[in-house]
Amino acid sequence: MKPKPYRANISRFLALCARNYAHIQRWLPQSRNAGQQWLWQGVFGSLSVTLLENTPYTQVVEIKRYTGGADRAVANPASVQDPLLLVRVYHDAQLAEVLTSRQICDLNPVYDYPNMHMYQRDEKYQVNAFLEDLLKIGHQANLVCQP
């Protein structure tokens, strides 16, 4: 029996992007300039947030997670790389979507499975769900460094 083809659930994906937008709004101050960087310290490590691009309706934000203390961001051993995500924030649509991650340069909406890189069929959704988990660190994080 042939398995059913995968169909992306757009409503579920957009709801996730809307939740990510709500989470990320807590991180971005009102006055924003490209190049600004913030370091947030939480129980499970630190998040470095850098505003790479700022336009009236969108922003591109780089988010890195570090383990270690607030006074120094210490990377994991070489065998385990810290997460790094580029996120586009759409203020007009109130959505935040992952553009790239450390491992994936361009996220396709759907992947054939199996594929050469062994991405899951819903890899884009899973990476955005990871962003939501990463942003939840900030619920109890403290801003420790801002230029």
Side-chain angles (χ1 to χ4, degrees):
M1 179 176 202
K2 189 175 181 179
K4 285 184 171 181
Y6 173 76
R7 291 189 180 185
N9 186 335
I10 302 300
S11 298
R12 188 173 140 215
F13 179 73
L14 290 176
L16 175 63
C17 290
R19 288 193 308 270
N20 285 342
Y21 179 82
H23 289 304
I24 212 163
Q25 284 305 301
R26 298 178 189 166
W27 300 74
L28 297 175
Q30 296 293 12
S31 61
R32 303 164 240 194
N33 297 314
Q36 282 185 306
Q37 185 173 12
W38 303 269
L39 183 64
W40 294 84
Q41 176 65 42
V43 177
F44 299 108
S46 301
L47 288 180
S48 171
V49 181
T50 306
L51 182 60
L52 299 177
E53 181 182 304
N54 191 23
T55 65
Y57 300 106
T58 64
Q59 294 174 316
V60 176
V61 179
E62 179 185 76
I63 300 173
K64 296 180 194 175
R65 180 180 181 268
Y66 296 102
T67 56
D71 55 335
R72 59 185 179 92
V74 179
N76 285 334
S79 61
V80 179
Q81 293 183 337
D82 288 316
L84 169 76
L85 301 170
L86 283 181
V87 179
R88 182 169 307 274
V89 180
Y90 301 94
H91 294 291
D92 53 348
Q94 296 186 344
L95 300 172
E97 174 187 24
V98 176
L99 298 176
T100 65
S101 69
R102 186 178 296 279
Q103 297 81 8
I104 306 171
C105 292
D106 286 320
L107 283 166
N108 294 334
V110 176
Y111 289 92
D112 291 330
Y113 190 82
N115 56 63
M116 186 184 338
H117 300 291
M118 295 305 293
Y119 296 145
Q120 296 296 314
R121 289 180 172 170
D122 64 342
E123 190 78 20
K124 185 167 188 145
Y125 181 86
Q126 289 186 26
V127 171
N128 278 278
F130 174 71
L131 172 64
E132 181 180 31
D133 291 339
L134 199 58
L135 292 174
K136 287 180 182 177
I137 290 174
H139 287 301
Q140 296 157 4
N142 298 316
L143 180 64
V144 294
C145 181
Q146 181 179 359

